Amino acid sequence: MLTYSTEIHPPTDDLELTVEASSAPTATSPPLVTICLTYRGDVPTTLDFGITAPFTRYSAWNDEQTKRLIIFPPRLNEQQHVIPDQPVGKSWPLEQGYLESEVGRLRKVTAGDHVCEEYAVLTYTPSEDGYPKGTYTARDRVGMDDQEFEVRLTIAVE
């Protein structure tokens, strides 16, 4: 079972990060999550983030072991073919390596504006036993005015 949570550091009332499980894994699709970054401030501003905001860094690491999970946007799969066509055992392993874009993007936002992206949750290596148990955290950055925030997605595998 996969569960998800989000966090912004340092905490701010101006940004909200949410995650919703879009679908559980099936025989034809890995688990999918939709992650949204919403601007809650009163004054229009500009956000600075990667090309697949809110996460352009796709690795979710477990600090207690060398295993990791990958979150990858399905809309980019046609270009990089990272998401496999079928599972291996009870997991959906990374099909091949991917490129993390260093390209930044600026977006002017007003109260309530949000950016959302759907991500497939993959194992880094094939596993007949399924997703390796543990807690994994993906981290990225979002700039707002002269401040920088770390956005975090935590995936718990039970």
Side-chain angles (χ1 to χ4, degrees):
M1 172 192 246
L2 303 173
T3 57
Y4 311 95
S5 62
T6 58
E7 182 181 5
I8 297 177
H9 188 76
T12 177
D13 291 334
D14 289 342
L15 296 173
E16 178 183 24
L17 187 66
T18 58
V19 60
E20 181 179 318
S22 306
S23 69
T26 67
T28 59
S29 173
L32 300 171
V33 296
T34 300
I35 305 170
C36 294
L37 180 67
T38 304
Y39 178 63
R40 298 284 183 211
D42 296 328
V43 178
T45 191
T46 300
L47 298 179
D48 173 15
F49 39 63
I51 198 139
T52 57
F55 288 90
T56 302
R57 304 232 181 274
Y58 304 131
S59 292
W61 294 94
N62 179 312
D63 294 333
E64 298 171 6
Q65 55 185 344
T66 59
K67 299 182 190 251
R68 64 178 159 156
L69 299 179
I70 305 299
I71 58 170
F72 191 79
R75 70 179 176 89
L76 298 182
N77 202 48
E78 199 170 289
Q79 299 162 343
Q80 298 191 44
H81 199 67
V82 171
I83 303 169
D85 296 327
Q86 60 189 16
V88 172
K90 296 179 183 176
S91 72
W92 283 85
L94 179 74
E95 179 79 12
Q96 66 180 20
Y98 55 87
L99 299 174
E100 288 183 338
S101 176
E102 293 296 326
V103 174
R105 178 169 84 164
L106 298 175
R107 180 170 173 180
K108 293 182 188 256
V109 292
T110 59
D113 285 350
H114 59 271
V115 291
C116 297
E117 185 74 53
E118 183 175 63
Y119 298 87
V121 181
L122 309 170
T123 57
Y124 186 68
T125 57
S127 173
E128 291 291 331
D129 298 329
Y131 287 73
K133 294 187 183 328
T135 302
Y136 302 83
T137 303
R139 293 175 167 86
D140 212 329
R141 59 158 290 286
V142 173
M144 181 176 68
D145 299 324
D146 293 332
Q147 302 173 27
E148 190 164 295
F149 298 91
E150 182 179 71
V151 291
R152 301 174 187 164
L153 168 69
T154 300
I155 304 168
V157 182
E158 301 171 4

